[in-house]
Amino acid sequence: ILFEHCPFNLGSLFQFSRGMLDDDMRKLFLVYQLLKVMNEFHQKGIFHGNLKPSNLLLGPNLWLSLTGFKCHVPESNGTDSINIPSAVEKWTNGQMSNFDYLMLLNRLAGRRKGDPNFHPVFPWVMDFTAPNRGWRDLTKTKFRLTKGDEQLDSTYDSDLPHHVTDVLSELTYYNYFARRTPVSVLKIFVRANYEPQEYP
């Protein structure tokens, strides 16, 4: 594939020519192009996998080109052929395990094994502190139950209000899969300085 020569990338622009981005219209133009192209890719199930400023090439009029793909093109998840009412019936009658049913729901939601951004999610429903291992209080989030109301409320009252979501972040995903993930990937997503003893 041949590209038109692009004299800059966004990384070099940040480092050497920040003045080119003083104009809000230029910034909006770049953001618009990036969102447009990423939306097109994602609709086709294509993920760049290595999006960073140095992989955003800029032409003379700030036309954007992408490079550095570590492309992930997922296999079709086959959701067209799923008979949802039949699956629900099998699950309610005990003919399908909870695991298989939850994996089916994840598949219908576009989640898949091996994708750090859309990995399968399983609800935490057991109360492991109770002697009989009963159901947890489903009226509160996992974070509120484990950290308490006071801790959660303090995150909203801080200088930078935030909330930790129940879904794992890309960083946490790679920490969990550190032993099965290449060091080069860990250096990109976890920390640049690889220290083996810091991983589980």
Side-chain angles (χ1 to χ4, degrees):
I1 299 175
L2 295 176
F3 288 100
E4 177 186 353
H5 173 68
C6 296
F8 316 106
N9 65 57
L10 193 57
S12 62
L13 211 62
F14 285 150
Q15 191 171 4
F16 303 113
S17 304
R18 281 186 180 264
M20 285 193 70
L21 297 175
D22 285 346
D23 180 12
D24 285 344
M25 288 306 290
R26 287 180 176 170
K27 290 180 204 167
L28 288 172
F29 181 57
L30 288 173
V31 170
Y32 168 78
Q33 290 180 84
L34 183 59
L35 292 175
K36 190 84 172 155
V37 74
M38 295 312 292
N39 183 50
E40 288 292 321
F41 282 138
H42 289 178
Q43 284 181 357
K44 293 174 173 56
I46 300 171
F47 303 93
H48 186 279
N50 192 26
L51 199 58
K52 57 186 177 182
S54 61
N55 286 335
L56 303 176
L57 304 179
L58 300 172
N61 294 317
L62 293 184
W63 284 103
L64 190 71
S65 298
L66 291 180
T67 187
F69 280 81
K70 290 188 177 173
C71 190
H72 171 68
V73 182
E75 298 172 12
S76 168
N77 63 7
T79 55
D80 298 340
S81 61
I82 295 173
N83 183 340
I84 297 172
S86 171
V88 171
E89 188 175 333
K90 284 180 182 176
W91 177 65
T92 54
N93 292 329
Q95 298 168 333
M96 181 185 282
S97 72
N98 288 343
F99 176 83
D100 290 335
Y101 184 67
L102 289 170
M103 284 302 288
L104 174 71
L105 294 179
N106 275 288
R107 204 165 102 203
L108 290 169
R111 296 184 170 278
R112 56 201 162 267
K113 286 194 276 186
D115 188 331
N117 296 306
F118 300 102
H119 55 277
V121 176
F122 285 77
W124 174 42
V125 295
M126 300 298 296
D127 181 1
F128 295 106
T129 61
N132 62 353
R133 304 275 194 227
W135 302 110
R136 77 167 177 89
D137 180 1
L138 295 172
T139 63
K140 295 181 178 179
T141 65
K142 182 176 76 168
F143 186 90
R144 191 173 286 277
L145 284 172
T146 56
K147 302 292 184 181
D149 293 338
E150 193 175 303
Q151 173 72 29
L152 184 61
D153 292 341
S154 72
T155 63
Y156 287 107
D157 296 333
S158 65
D159 293 336
L160 184 62
H162 65 283
H163 176 60
V164 178
T165 63
D166 281 345
V167 178
L168 295 177
S169 68
E170 193 175 65
L171 172 70
T172 310
Y173 173 90
Y174 281 115
N175 269 317
Y176 276 118
F177 287 99
R179 294 187 183 274
R180 297 174 55 192
T181 303
V183 172
S184 58
V185 174
L186 294 175
K187 285 182 172 180
I188 293 170
F189 292 103
V190 181
R191 64 173 59 95
N193 185 20
Y194 176 72
E195 297 287 343
Q197 70 275 9
E198 294 183 5
Y199 293 92

